[in-house]
Amino acid sequence: MRMKKLKNILRMNGTLFCFKNYCSILVCMLLISANIMNAETKGNEKVNKFVKGLVRDAHTKQPINAAQITVLNNSISATTNEKGIFSLNVSSEKEILVISAYDYNVRQISIQSKDSLVIDLYSDIFSNYYEKVDMLTGLSNNLTMVSSGKNANDFSKSQSVTADELIQSELGGDVRAISRSGVAGMGASLFIRGFNSLNSNAQPLFVVDGVLMNNLYDVKSIHGGFFSNPLNDIDVSDIESITVLKDGVSIYGSKAANGVVLINTKRGKGMVTKINANILTGITSQPNSIPVMNADQFRTYASDLIGTSGLTNDQVANFSFLQDDPSKPTYNTYHNNTKWANEIYQTGVTKSYSINAKGGDEKALYYFSLGYTGISGVVKSNDMQRINARFNADFNMSKLFSMGLNIGFTNIDRSITDDGVNPYTSPTWLSAIKAPFLSAYNYTSTGANTSELAYSDELGIGNPRAIVDKYSNSVRQHSFNISWIPTFHLSPNFTLSSQLDYNLNKTTEDYYSPMFYVAKRMIDGIGYSQNSHTNQVMRNMAIFDDTRLKYTKQFAKYNQINAVLGVRYLNNYYESDYIEGHNSGSNSSTNLPGSFASAFFKVNGVNNFTNSLSNYLNVDYSYDNRYLLSVATSVDGSSRFGSETKGGFSMFGKSWGVFPSANAAWLVSSEKFMRYVDFINHLKVRLGYGITGNDNIEDYATHTYFSTLRQETYANGIVLSNIANPQIQWETTYRKNAGIDLGLLNDRISLSFDYFSGITKDLLTLKSQPYVSGLGVYWSNGGELSNNGYEFSANFKLLNLKSLKWEFGFSVGHYENKILSLPLINGSTDYTTSVYGGEVLTAVGQPAGMFYGYKTNGVYATEADAASANLYILNQNGSKSYFKAGDVRFVDGDKNGIKDGVIDANDKQIIGNPNPKLYGNITSKLSYKKLTLSTLFTYSYGNDVYNFQRSQLETGSDYSNQSTAMLSRWTAEGQHTTQPKAVYGDPMGNARFSDRWIEDGSYLRLKTVTLSYTVPIKSNFIEGFSVWISANNLVTFTKYLGPDPEFSAQNSVLFQGVDVGLVPTSKSYYVGLKLNL
Amino acid sequence: MKKIFNILVVVVLISFISVGCSDILDVKSNRITYENDYRMSSPNDTVYAMEGIWNQLRNIADSYVLLGELRGELLDVTENSNMNLREISNFEISKDNPYAQIKDYYSVINNCNYVIQHIDTSYTTHGQRVMRGFLASVKSIRAWTYMQIALNFGSVKYYVQPILTEADAEAVNNYPDISMNELSDLLIADLIPWENETLSQFLWSKSFPVHFVLGDLYLWKGEGYYDKAATEYHALMVSDRYGIDFYQSAWAIKNKVISVSSGFTTDWIKSFTASYGETITKIYCPKGFGRQFNLDSLNYNNQFGPSAVSIKNWDTQIYHNTPLDWIPGDLRKFGSMISKNDVSIDNSGNITSYIYPTSTFSKPIILKYLIYDQNVLVYRSSLLYLRYAEAVNRLGKPNLAFAVLKNGLRSATMNTPSIVPLNERTTEKYMDFSDRQFDYNVGIRWRGLGPKLKDPGFSVLTLGDCDSTFVIKQQANLNDSILYVEDMIQKELALETAFEGNRFHDLMRFAIRRSNPDYLAEIVSEKHPANKAVIREKLTHPENWYLKK
């Protein structure tokens, strides 16, 4: 009989799996399982402890009727009577009871060999401390490792567009999350426990419904300042839980060094049909910007500057803006006072609707949702529309076989303009630097204003209004995902499941920079570009399979084992096609490639296949629920690994990495002696050690290959472009962790502290090839860095009155990053990287990302001051230029301490550190009857910022508008000021990368305030109805001079703390409705 | 328990085995070609690799020109010059100077090695073993490139098997450095079997003739090899019918001014263009599709320009149309440089219109580079004849060498004892200019300075007189005459082939041949009036002639 069933399964299996490789694995697994089934033993539970108790409300002390009491890991359960009394037989004296009741939070209580217990439950208005957490191998509620999870109730009143925004607001102390910009859906850069890489991806691995997501880390958008965030494909209202895992993630071996974030979407859970509708609408106010000069101030500045430009009188006379005769026809053109920011910013509007239904019967459970999000941004003509649908189902085919099915579809359309510091095409930046005496519109020859948009001006700056009005560009994203999850319940102990997933993500970007409205620009080595059209299509297709054999067994009374053995296979294909043309000669003829000049033509693309395979085993062992041990190992292979790696072992011509981890915990509060320490309700001590890897190696680095080079349209040549490095391997991170969890004073206070210490070795580094190979650089492994730090979180139930309840919490994260060693390249270990006009130092003994530049000490007020300092710079032709009055006083102090009088590269030193000393959030939840007021503060302390946008607004070297700080520029002998004089072209380099642009980026921000009200409706039809209003970014305390202290120019480690002037986050206000049917 | 454990071990092993047996971890791409998938068994396959080599050659083409000329005395930096160009001009070239990247040269070598190793020369179509032509052109490219490495960097690491792994690269990196002299022997042996092969041409590029490269190698070998050099150069003149043609109709001097005629631009200047029949070797460097061609934009942006020395060289000559109608200056000046204001250049750097050059060269740019039209010209007919002259002069035939400048090599010249004296008339093959293809050869200097220099017996022109002042001045002995003529050749190279990329190496060769570094130091330091002594001192040490690797 059993064999017959097995044959059926095998047959099914054969048709379902097209992977030839997996058939063999599954067949073997099944055959083996058959043996095990015969060998299985029945657990005989001996009851040896009788316990009874009282369950009551923590405030009123009134008994709670019909509370359910279960035993951790076991099926034994009981229910309280109307007096709140229950009694129960348990098998262990140290058993943990799990008590749940309607309207109350779950609580876990250890029996501690007591015979009777009094258990107080807290209202579910408070956050739930004992909730089960989604882990890599399933739900768990007694963990050996630190994890931070949040589930759907926490997100229901969120106006976040993407999951990474949620992580920032909900898990602030666990993850260092930095918003990329104020543009909706751009998400955040996330760093878990410091920087675990230098040159490779340092972002965590996202696992969405069990499927590894490609975060497209190094994919560059053609739109300036835009980031194509794959997490934007998930509607937040579909998310059931988000869990951040920092250690014990070795079953994701070579992909887990930066931590793992698990995102699970909602599924049908019960047979009752539930319909849930959410409506949200909100406005976003025009963001702050650095204040710039008005028309008169700028005219004075520009006139000053002309005086320093060395132009002849004839040339100066060509500047029309200097004409001050109102009778001249051009007078009106040059005598406006335009607030350019008002021309391109607007109040943004967000609308979001989602509806979902779940329910089912014994045969099948389903969850279905539809969502729409429409956002018109704070920059005109920047908007986003997202439509998403999701269908998750679970089919119970038979006792032996069940099946899951997940389908998701998302479509995102954006229109967009360039963002950030870009003096040609970014309307936001142009609005800062455009001369305020000009108008967005032309004047007629008689001086009458028209509605015709003006062309770029005589100062070489385009018209931002024309760009937002006429030429927004587009991004279209489609993503489709389907997952099929057959599960075979082979025996009570064994479950075999497989998840087969197909994921397609396609992004089409189209970019046009118009003629006339945008100033023409010089492209090095090619010529002047008047207009340009760029198009990029990117496609990421992933086939994923995760086959697992699960084993659950309780034996010899106290022992519990959960084991998972699995094989994971990921086949990822990424393709990108890029085309760029310039100078079509008109704004109406823009076909690629036909209309464009061939000399500027550019095509590019990649086809990257990546295969990776992981064999993993995870065993959780628990003795009496007091002593917990979790051991995991994965053995990973990848097409990216070389065949002769040093860190792995070789088998079948491939190299394999081994990533073990062990985590142990002791639940001290279950011990008998703890019954005498009654102010401690929960005490767990945790220890862990694990090895993980980072496999973000450049594809094909292990191969010798040719690539194609084009000679105009005539011919293709192929040239050797890479030679094999068979030693290339993953970066390896070794991390220790020690932690303690505490529940105090009847669980009114909960605390959690973790100390971690990690070392990452084999850092992926670019090295120079020996010149005889004819090639430039290659990836190799070398160097080490460490991350040590702690995380602390605390939660207090401050008030638990009848109607008034107040909960307060905060979290603190801290890490110390240090580079321990670097490979010797060209005779030096240390190097600098050029970052937006600045320089970032990578040096042994220092943290990653240090700003490296000149120190300054004010401005020379008088010629005598300057002469006494007697400093100079060396010009290209070897002549000396001495600093004069009005120039910046750079500090002359070479590395070796010698003051040589010349200000040159030897005078550079460390001038800032972008790593914060502390970061985290502060939360408060105050509820009175049906009203709840939630507030969230986020903060970062001790991080330095390179204010690149200010550095570009205070150069005093060209005809772009300047910040009002430049009003106090040095203009006359003896003037004491901090701003140097304005000189065309900045010959002395006063605006060079120096501590003038480094600022303290510490801030405390009132990120969100939400007031929600649960409308008391008694209806058979409506189960719940709540309305809420919320305000974001109301107050920010900071000394930072830029518009917003929170930004992240790029994901990569070396680009942190650089403010490149992306649209900042601004105040926003939302109203939302939530309806449960 | 034990049983279960055993089972788990088996499962893990099986998953490994299934992986090991299949290619589950192997990946392909449509955009790259794995080395072991690319073999050249037919012309269709080979042409891509050949085009790839030309693609790599273009990476060193502008550095060939800039290293060859900016280090010489004819091309100079300007106030607009960037640091890289200044470094070259001042002999302070840093390692990261983009025009001194030795790896770019080795990239050509390694790609050539790959083709040479894998090309299937037995392939036959229409009764022709066509792949031999491919192989010959690759071998000559490789030899020329090796020669450039040795001349620019002082020595080479010589390898002929392609580097395909990091380990290969490390191994080759440990090879000994060999000198130009040792290298020449290896390259000569490698090239000789291929010297009569018809080379394959690609696109608008023109290959490096094996004869020319061999001739150069022999010339660098020096004493004892001059006859072989002359033979190679002569063989190329014969096989590919290269001559020195005359375009009298191209211009006219009337009343001591150059008359404006379209012929000036289309015919005279044409003799320098890359599309002209006298072009022997050129590297096609088109822009577009993300490729740049630096020489063009550097030139257009006045990042370099003709030196005062080169202008003086030309201006001290006199161009004669007739003995009475003349203008000061060498007409080759007008083919070599131009005022930026006299040409219209579009955004891409292409000439859209050309105005007749005025005598005031404000912001002069190099006309040769413009009319090369995104090509780098390496060898042309004039250089071939001048190199021939250099070889035969050292064979003790200064009058024959001189005839290359003044008279043109053709049977009439060879048979005129007043031009080629009897004692220089020998019977080697390289002395044979009897073929009718040579009948229109004129002297190179004659062509640049006008018909007054015309030799008697030239039938096309009847006007004018032979320039009786242009002669080999009486010398004490043959050796002095040879040195005298060699100086004339050196000066003629400056007038005729200025800016074309060969100047510094030519001077090196003369100096080495004479064991006199001062020869080079004196000429080059003329360009640096401000710090002449410093540059001169530096260049008297031959180790400073070479770049850091």
Side-chain angles (χ1 to χ4, degrees), chain A residues 21 28 32 524 526 577 599 601 607 609 611 615 635 639 654 700 704 706 711 718-720 724 769 772 774, chain B residues 7 14-16 22 24-26 28-31 33 35 48 52 58 103 111 159 164 166 288-290 292:
Chain A
N21 308 300
C28 285
I32 291 157
D524 268 354
I526 304 182
D577 300 276
F601 216 63
N607 283 50
F609 286 91
N611 285 337
N615 302 274
V635 180
S639 59
K654 310 276 177 201
Y700 308 109
T704 303
F706 292 90
Q711 294 270 52
I718 71 165
V719 291
L720 268 172
Q769 296 267 12
V772 288
Chain B
I7 289 161
I14 285 170
S15 91
F16 275 121
S22 64
I24 202 163
L25 289 180
D26 288 340
K28 294 282 164 196
S29 167
N30 307 332
R31 211 115 12 180
T33 307
E35 180 273 317
Y48 295 107
R58 60 175 286 170
K103 75 170 176 57
N111 279 284
Y159 67 104
L164 296 176
E166 296 297 338
F289 291 91
Q292 295 186 359

Side-chain angles (χ1 to χ4, degrees), chain A residues 125 803-805 926-933 1012-1013:
Chain A
I125 287 166
S803 343
L804 185 65
K805 298 181 196 304
L926 188 67
S927 83
Y928 178 75
K929 292 188 173 167
K930 303 281 182 189
L931 273 176
T932 306
L933 179 72
S1012 65
Y1013 177 64

Side-chain angles (χ1 to χ4, degrees), chain A residues 77-231:
Chain A
S77 67
T79 310
T80 56
N81 60 20
E82 65 275 12
K83 288 177 183 161
I85 307 285
F86 70 91
S87 58
L88 193 62
N89 282 316
V90 292
S91 56
S92 163
E93 291 200 323
K94 297 358 182 263
E95 190 58 86
I96 296 166
L97 301 184
V98 181
I99 303 98
S100 53
Y102 187 71
D103 275 349
Y104 289 93
N105 275 340
V106 174
R107 204 165 161 200
Q108 289 181 18
I109 295 282
S110 183
I111 296 174
Q112 299 171 326
S113 309
K114 292 179 202 161
D115 296 327
S116 67
L117 299 162
V118 176
I119 299 158
D120 288 341
L121 293 187
Y122 290 93
S123 158
D124 64 0
I125 287 166
F126 292 111
S127 58
N128 199 344
Y129 182 64
Y130 288 112
E131 200 164 37
K132 287 189 177 186
V133 179
D134 270 312
M135 294 297 288
L136 299 172
T137 53
L139 277 176
S140 174
N141 55 8
N142 200 356
L143 302 169
T144 53
M145 59 204 81
V146 58
S147 74
S148 304
K150 289 280 172 177
N151 72 8
N153 291 328
D154 301 293
F155 313 146
S156 60
K157 283 150 196 149
S158 171
Q159 62 287 330
S160 297
V161 177
T162 66
D164 36 356
E165 292 169 27
L166 271 186
I167 291 171
Q168 187 191 23
S169 57
E170 306 290 334
L171 301 165
D174 296 302
V175 181
R176 184 167 173 241
I178 316 145
S179 294
R180 292 199 183 95
S181 88
V183 175
M186 294 267 283
S189 292
L190 307 173
F191 297 98
I192 295 176
R193 294 192 160 170
F195 297 146
N196 294 299
S197 181
L198 277 181
N199 303 307
S200 192
N201 180 15
Q203 299 293 300
L205 170 71
F206 280 88
V207 179
V208 180
D209 285 329
V211 180
L212 307 190
M213 191 183 81
N214 184 345
N215 77 348
L216 303 176
Y217 157 75
D218 42 11
V219 172
K220 294 261 180 304
S221 169
I222 59 178
H223 302 292
F226 178 71
F227 187 91
S228 171
N229 179 11
L231 285 174

Side-chain angles (χ1 to χ4, degrees), chain A residues 578-653:
Chain A
Y578 174 93
I579 181 166
E580 174 183 333
H582 294 259
N583 296 357
S584 69
S586 87
N587 277 332
S588 52
S589 165
T590 59
N591 290 331
L592 272 171
S595 310
F596 289 88
S598 71
F600 288 81
F601 216 63
K602 209 170 178 177
V603 288
N604 212 338
V606 289
N607 283 50
N608 284 352
F609 286 91
T610 315
N611 285 337
S612 57
L613 189 112
S614 178
N615 302 274
Y616 60 90
L617 173 68
N618 184 86
V619 180
D620 293 334
Y621 168 73
S622 134
Y623 177 79
D624 196 19
N625 282 325
R626 278 182 292 149
Y627 307 103
L628 311 164
L629 179 68
S630 174
V631 181
T633 303
S634 67
V635 180
D636 287 16
S638 165
S639 59
R640 288 169 165 174
F641 300 165
S643 53
E644 298 161 19
T645 65
K646 285 183 182 149
F649 68 91
S650 188
M651 196 159 60
F652 312 117

Side-chain angles (χ1 to χ4, degrees), chain B residues 195 210-212 214-215 218 227-236:
Chain B
E195 63 179 337
V210 179
H211 287 308
F212 210 134
L214 273 173
Y218 286 129
D227 58 333
K228 290 189 166 162
T231 308
E232 293 294 343
Y233 292 132
H234 181 265
L236 181 61

Side-chain angles (χ1 to χ4, degrees), chain A residues 565-579:
Chain A
L565 174 71
V567 184
R568 196 170 48 235
Y569 171 73
L570 177 65
N571 168 296
N572 195 82
Y573 171 61
Y574 173 75
E575 177 180 341
S576 127
D577 300 276
Y578 174 93
I579 181 166

Side-chain angles (χ1 to χ4, degrees), chain A residues 20-22 24-25 28-29 32 35-36 39 494 520 522 524-528 530 549 551 561 565 567 569 573 575-577 583 597-613 615 617 635 637-639 649 651-652 654 656 700 703-720 723-726 769-776 778 876-877, chain B residues 1 3-4 7-8 10-36 38 47-56 58-59 81-83 86 102-104 106-107 110-111 114 157 159 162-170 172-173 177 203-205 284-294 297 301 347-350 374 549:
Chain A
K20 56 176 180 174
N21 308 300
Y22 279 88
S24 58
I25 303 170
C28 285
M29 281 187 164
I32 291 157
N35 287 330
I36 297 165
F494 275 97
K520 72 174 182 176
M522 186 71 189
D524 268 354
I526 304 182
Y528 278 102
Q530 295 171 311
L549 182 65
Y551 174 72
I561 272 197
L565 174 71
V567 184
Y569 171 73
Y573 171 61
E575 177 180 341
S576 127
D577 300 276
N583 296 357
S598 71
F600 288 81
F601 216 63
K602 209 170 178 177
V603 288
N604 212 338
V606 289
N607 283 50
N608 284 352
F609 286 91
T610 315
N611 285 337
S612 57
L613 189 112
N615 302 274
L617 173 68
V635 180
S638 165
S639 59
F649 68 91
M651 196 159 60
F652 312 117
K654 310 276 177 201
W656 301 82
Y700 308 109
H703 286 93
T704 303
Y705 61 80
F706 292 90
S707 54
T708 316
L709 278 177
R710 202 149 175 188
Q711 294 270 52
E712 281 207 323
T713 48
Y714 310 123
N716 280 321
I718 71 165
V719 291
L720 268 172
I723 60 175
N725 178 7
Q769 296 267 12
Y771 62 78
V772 288
S773 70
L775 296 165
Y778 70 107
Q876 278 209 343
N877 59 12
Chain B
M1 199 58 205
K3 198 171 176 183
I4 292 170
I7 289 161
L8 298 182
V10 170
V11 171
V12 170
L13 280 179
I14 285 170
S15 91
F16 275 121
I17 288 164
S18 82
V19 170
C21 298
S22 64
D23 297 330
I24 202 163
L25 289 180
D26 288 340
V27 286
K28 294 282 164 196
S29 167
N30 307 332
R31 211 115 12 180
I32 59 176
T33 307
Y34 285 168
E35 180 273 317
N36 46 18
Y38 188 62
V47 75
Y48 295 107
M50 290 296 302
E51 195 52 54
I53 289 170
W54 282 103
N55 250 304
Q56 295 302 292
R58 60 175 286 170
N59 292 343
S81 300
N82 63 38
M83 212 56 210
R86 288 170 193 281
I102 192 169
K103 75 170 176 57
D104 291 345
Y106 278 102
S107 177
N110 201 27
N111 279 284
Y114 189 82
K157 301 219 184 263
Y159 67 104
I163 289 175
L164 296 176
T165 64
E166 296 297 338
D168 290 353
E170 283 302 329
V172 172
N173 205 33
D177 288 307
L203 220 58
W204 282 268
S205 295
Y284 181 49
C285 308
K287 293 191 274 190
F289 291 91
R291 310 300 301 277
Q292 295 186 359
F293 180 48
N294 289 314
S297 42
N301 293 319
N347 281 326
S348 317
N350 297 319
Q374 300 177 32
K549 285 186 190 177

